[in-house]
Amino acid sequence: MPKLLVAVLVALALPAFAHAGDVTMRVQDLPVGTRALAAVPPKMRFNMLALHWRGPGSVAYRTHRLGGRWSAWTTADADAAPDGGTGAWHDGDLAWVGGSDGIRYRTRGRVVGLRAYELWSRVRKPVTRSLEMAGSPRIVPRSAWHANEEIVRAKPQYAPKLRLAIVHHTAGTNDYTPAQAAAIVRGIEVYHVKGNGWNDIGYNFLVDRFGNVYEGRAGGIARNVIGAHAEGFNTGSVGVALIGNYVRATPPAAQQDALVQLLAWRLDVAHVDPLAKVTLASRGNAKYRAGKLVTLREISGHRDTGPSECPGAVAYRLLPEIAKRVAATGLPKLYGPTVTGSLGGPIRFHATLTSSLAWTVNILDATGKAVASGAGAGRVVDWTWRSPPPGKSGYRWAISAPGVLAATGMIGKAGPPAEPAPAAAAAVSSIGLSPSFVAPADGASAPVTLRFTLSATTRAIVQVLGPNGTVVSLEDGTLPAGANTVTFDASTLSDGRYRVVVAPRGGTSAAAELVVDRTLTGLAASAAGVSPNADGTDDTVAFGFDLSQPATVQLTIQQNGTAVATPFSGQLPAGPASIAWDGTSSAGVLLPEGAYTAVLSYTDALGSFTQSLPVSVDLTPPVLTVVDAATLQFALSEPANVTFTINGGTPIVQGEPAGAFSFPFAGTVTSFSAQPVDGAGNVGATVTG
C-alpha cells in the first residue's frame, strides 16, 4: 500500500495548462528552501507571472527575457497569510514581465510551499471602442478588451448601497504599450478566475498609464457589483486598480486624471462625498476580524482594509489629493440622501448639496401621478412628508436640484403586487440543489443553484435556514409559474446543515438540504492521469487536500461504481496531506487503461461525506501528425502539451486540443520540430520538417 506523503503537497486546482481565449496559463509547484536560489528550466514562454507561497517568509524572482538577459530581482507582492503563519497561501499579484522563457527565484525566511503561475497573454491591437454614460469618462467595455465570458463562474451579485472606493495597483511593470495594457487586463481576468478561484476578475475598473479606463467585473458599470478586491470589504465598495507598480514610481498624469474622472462619476452616481469617512463592519480578514468596526476614508487604499502594501507607497500618498480633485470635479453634487420613517406616519427626507441651490422633493404613486412635493433652498435638503397609510403599492421619491444628479428611491412596495389569485395555492415541486454539499476553500466562492417548479405565478420567499437560527434571504417577490432557479454563494455560510426553503404565499413550503463542511478542502490531483511505465513522469498521481481537523479518511479508486483499489484508509491529523497512487489494484496488479474515479471518503461531526475526482490510467503516448508543414498545421490524437522549436529557436510549449490545430508563427519557416506530451506524462514521437 502506498504510504502517506508528508512533503509539500501538489494541490493544483487546474491542469498543468489552462486555456482561456487569448491567454494560456501554466501552473507548477516549485521546490523551496530557506534563502534558496533556484532556477526553473524554460518550459513555456510567458509574459505574466504570479507566485503563491505558504509561510511567513518572502519570495523574490527574476525572469529571463526571450533572446535577452535576466531581469532585476523583484520581491513578489502579496497579501499576508490570514494568521501570519504557514497555514494559508499568500496570493501574489500578477505581474507583467514581458516575453520570458525562464524564472529564477529565491526565498527569505520560512517558506514551506511555492507555486508559480505563468501566463502568456496574446497582445492584440490597441482597443479603440469605448462607451460613455452621462458624466462618466470613456470606458473600454469587456467586449472590447475581449473578456472571456466562458470562464466566469457565477452571475454578478449586488450590494444594496455603494459606500466607498478602494484604490489598488496591479504591481509588475510600468513599461507597457496600449496594446499590452489590454493583454494585462485579459491575463488578470484568467489569473483571478483560474488561479485564485474567484467568480470573475476581482476589480470593478482598471486604469492604464495612458488614461484608458477598463470595465472590470461584469454586471453593470453603474451598478453596485460586488467584486473580489478587498477581503472583508468587498460588499458596498468599488475597486479600481491602477495598472502598474507604484511603490516608488508616481502614476502618470494621464492615469491620475482618469482615476479622478472615474471616481468623480461613480461616487456621484452613489451620492457619496469623497472627502467624508464611513464606518463599516469587516466581514473578516487577517487585519480586521469579522464584525470589527473600521472607519475608512470614502476613497481608501487597499492597505486601509487589509494586510497589504497596495496601492504602493507613492500612489497611497496621493489619495488625499486625489479625493480633493474628485470632490471638485463635476459640481454641483448631492450627497448622503436618507429617508427615515414609514407609511402612515411622518417620513423625513434629508441630503446635502455642495452649494446653495433651490431643491425639490417629489412623491409619485405607482401610476406616476404626483401626490406630494416639498421645496426649499440652501445646501441642506430637509423636508417631512405626512404620508398616508400603506396601500397595495408603494411610492417613488426623487430629490433634485438644478445641475445635480437626482437621488431616487422607493417607499413601501416596489409596485402593485402581481398576484393573479389562482384557483388553488401555488405548489412547489422538483426542488433540488446542485451541489447539495460544498467544501469551500479559503478565498474561493461556492456557487450553489436551487432549482424548483411552481404550479402558478405567486409571491414567494426563498430562504436559507441553518443552525442557531441562521437565516439568509435569497428571494422575496413574485416568481413565475414553471421552472425557477436561484443561485447563491454558500462560502459565506459557516459549517453546518441547512435547509433551503421555498415558501409560496398561501401554499405549502418545500425544502432542499444543504451541507457546508470545511473539514476537507482543496482536493486536487497532481495530474489528470497516471502513467505507470517507469519513465519517471507521472508514474504516480498524488491527491492533495487540507484537513481542518483530524479525520478518518479513505481513498478508493472506482470504476463504474465499484472499488478496484484502496490506496489509503486510516486516521489523519489536521493540516495538508497527499496520498499517492501508482495505478495498481488492491492486489498490486496494474489496472487496465481507462477512466476511473478517485473517491475520498471521510467522517466528522456532521456525518460521512465523499469528494471525487476523475483520474485515468494512460500508457498510450499521443500521436502528432503534420497536416501542412508550410503553414504549421497539425493534428493530435488526444489533448497534449506540444513543445515547438521553430527555425532552431527557443522551445515554446503550448497546450493543444485533440484534432486539427495550427501553430501561430509570423515569418518564414525553414525548419521545425514538435513533440507532444499528454496529461499523464506520456511522450509522443517528435515530428520534424
Side-chain angles (χ1 to χ4, degrees), residues 415-430:
E419 297 178 14
V428 183
S429 61
S430 304

Side-chain angles (χ1 to χ4, degrees), residues 11 28 152 338 443 457 569 628:
Q28 60 174 329
V152 175
T338 58
T457 298
S569 180
D628 187 337

Side-chain angles (χ1 to χ4, degrees), residues 44-89:
M44 183 190 101
R45 61 175 182 170
F46 57 93
N47 51 24
M48 304 188 77
L49 175 68
L51 296 174
H52 287 192
W53 70 94
R54 271 180 169 159
S58 62
V59 182
Y61 67 87
R62 64 193 305 187
T63 59
H64 185 266
R65 300 295 175 84
L66 292 175
R69 299 180 177 180
W70 288 95
S71 68
W73 285 100
T74 301
T75 300
D77 185 19
D79 294 347
D83 57 3
T86 62
W89 287 93

Side-chain angles (χ1 to χ4, degrees), residues 13 25 62 73 76 139 142 158 185 189 246 274 316 331 334 398 404 446 451 466 513 517 530-531 559 573-574 615:
M25 182 170 75
R62 64 193 305 187
W73 285 100
I139 298 173
R142 291 170 62 90
Y158 299 93
V185 177
E189 178 201 22
Y246 299 112
Y316 185 75
L331 297 174
L334 183 153
V404 166
R451 293 182 172 86
E513 300 295 323
D517 190 317
V530 61
S531 177
Q559 189 173 53
V615 65

Side-chain angles (χ1 to χ4, degrees), residues 157-329:
Q157 295 181 323
Y158 299 93
K161 187 176 183 180
L162 183 66
R163 308 299 299 275
L164 80 163
I166 299 175
V167 179
H168 304 253
H169 74 163
T170 62
T173 183
N174 301 319
D175 184 15
Y176 54 84
T177 66
Q180 290 170 340
I184 290 172
V185 177
R186 287 192 290 272
I188 292 174
E189 178 201 22
V190 172
Y191 172 63
H192 281 183
V193 175
K194 297 291 188 178
N196 290 348
W198 299 345
N199 288 341
D200 192 355
I201 190 170
Y203 310 117
N204 299 99
F205 298 94
L206 302 95
V207 184
D208 69 21
R209 68 188 183 98
F210 308 100
N212 299 307
V213 179
Y214 300 83
E215 177 187 9
R217 178 162 291 210
I221 62 174
R223 302 184 67 184
N224 303 332
V225 179
I226 299 174
H229 57 92
E231 183 182 15
F233 297 90
N234 286 318
T235 300
S237 68
V238 56
V240 182
L242 302 176
I243 301 176
N245 188 324
Y246 299 112
V247 173
R248 297 181 180 85
T250 300
Q255 192 171 37
Q256 293 188 47
D257 292 346
L259 176 64
V260 168
Q261 294 169 10
L262 173 64
L263 293 180
W265 164 74
R266 188 63 189 88
L267 293 183
D268 191 23
V269 170
H271 302 291
V272 170
D273 182 353
L275 297 178
K277 293 183 179 180
V278 62
T279 299
L280 301 175
S282 169
R283 298 196 174 193
N285 62 34
K287 186 175 183 179
Y288 298 117
R289 59 173 173 79
K292 173 72 174 178
L293 294 178
V294 182
T295 299
L296 300 165
R297 293 172 296 174
E298 297 287 7
I299 299 178
S300 290
H302 185 197
R303 64 173 63 182
D304 294 322
T305 66
S308 173
E309 294 304 312
C310 182
V314 177
Y316 185 75
R317 288 196 296 268
L318 289 174
L319 292 184
E321 182 60 30
I322 292 291
K324 292 179 182 178
R325 293 182 58 191
V326 169
T329 300

Side-chain angles (χ1 to χ4, degrees), residues 404-542:
V404 166
L405 181 64
T408 61
M410 291 295 303
I411 303 172
K413 298 179 180 179
E419 297 178 14
V428 183
S429 61
S430 304
I431 187 168
L433 289 168
S434 178
S436 59
F437 169 86
V438 294
D442 287 345
S445 62
V448 174
T449 300
L450 172 70
R451 293 182 172 86
F452 58 93
T453 300
L454 288 172
S455 62
T457 298
T458 186
R459 185 177 182 84
I461 297 174
V462 183
Q463 293 179 317
V464 180
L465 307 180
N468 304 319
T470 304
V471 177
V472 178
S473 295
L474 303 179
E475 293 282 351
D476 185 358
T478 301
L479 299 179
N484 285 264
T485 61
V486 176
T487 299
F488 61 98
D489 185 2
S491 68
T492 60
L493 303 175
S494 58
D495 286 10
R497 292 184 174 273
Y498 296 82
R499 297 174 66 245
V500 184
V501 180
V502 180
R505 185 171 182 177
T508 302
S509 300
E513 300 295 323
L514 172 68
V515 176
V516 181
D517 190 317
R518 295 176 176 83
T519 292
L520 192 154
T521 59
L523 176 62
S526 61
V530 61
S531 177
N533 53 12
D535 64 354
T537 302
D538 293 330
D539 292 324
T540 63
V541 59

